[in-house]
Amino acid sequence: MLCMVGCPVRSIRRSDSLEISIKDWCIGCGLCAKNCPYDNISLHEYQNNPMVPETGKLKVIKKATVCDLCGQHAEPSCVYACPHDAAHRVEPQKFFELQTMGLSFPDKSNP
């Protein structure tokens, strides 16, 4: 994967399931985000920023993040939270079989 090439601390990896993960020791250099051909890696501010003693202000620390599809949950949070029911997580083969048969995807709000 192009995103893994050049990471100075080797914090971006593939898991056994082949999903991309970024480890806690990411230094926020942004090289993985720059190299990602799909724009799926972003830099986000870290929550526990240390105080800079000289200025008394919080130091901005960014780390790379990538969507893990909320693998630890029943469905991705973006699907659950979408107020318009526009986001769906589907199994591609079943979804496209329904589409080719002229059937629509089932509405999750009306089981």
Side-chain angles (χ1 to χ4, degrees), residues 74-92:
E75 65 180 347
S77 295
C78 56
V79 171
Y80 176 77
C82 181
H84 306 289
D85 198 31
H88 293 271
R89 176 83 174 142
V90 299
E91 186 179 324

Side-chain angles (χ1 to χ4, degrees), residues 33-86:
K34 180 182 170 200
N35 288 342
C36 178
Y38 309 108
D39 292 329
N40 285 341
I41 300 175
S42 305
L43 292 176
H44 289 279
E45 288 187 17
Y46 186 62
Q47 292 296 321
N48 297 322
N49 295 340
M51 186 74 71
V52 178
E54 297 82 28
T55 64
K57 296 181 180 178
L58 293 178
K59 181 178 180 183
V60 176
I61 296 176
K62 292 187 175 186
K63 291 190 176 194
T65 59
V66 65
C67 179
D68 64 359
L69 297 174
C70 299
Q72 68 276 15
H73 301 294
E75 65 180 347
S77 295
C78 56
V79 171
Y80 176 77
C82 181
H84 306 289
D85 198 31

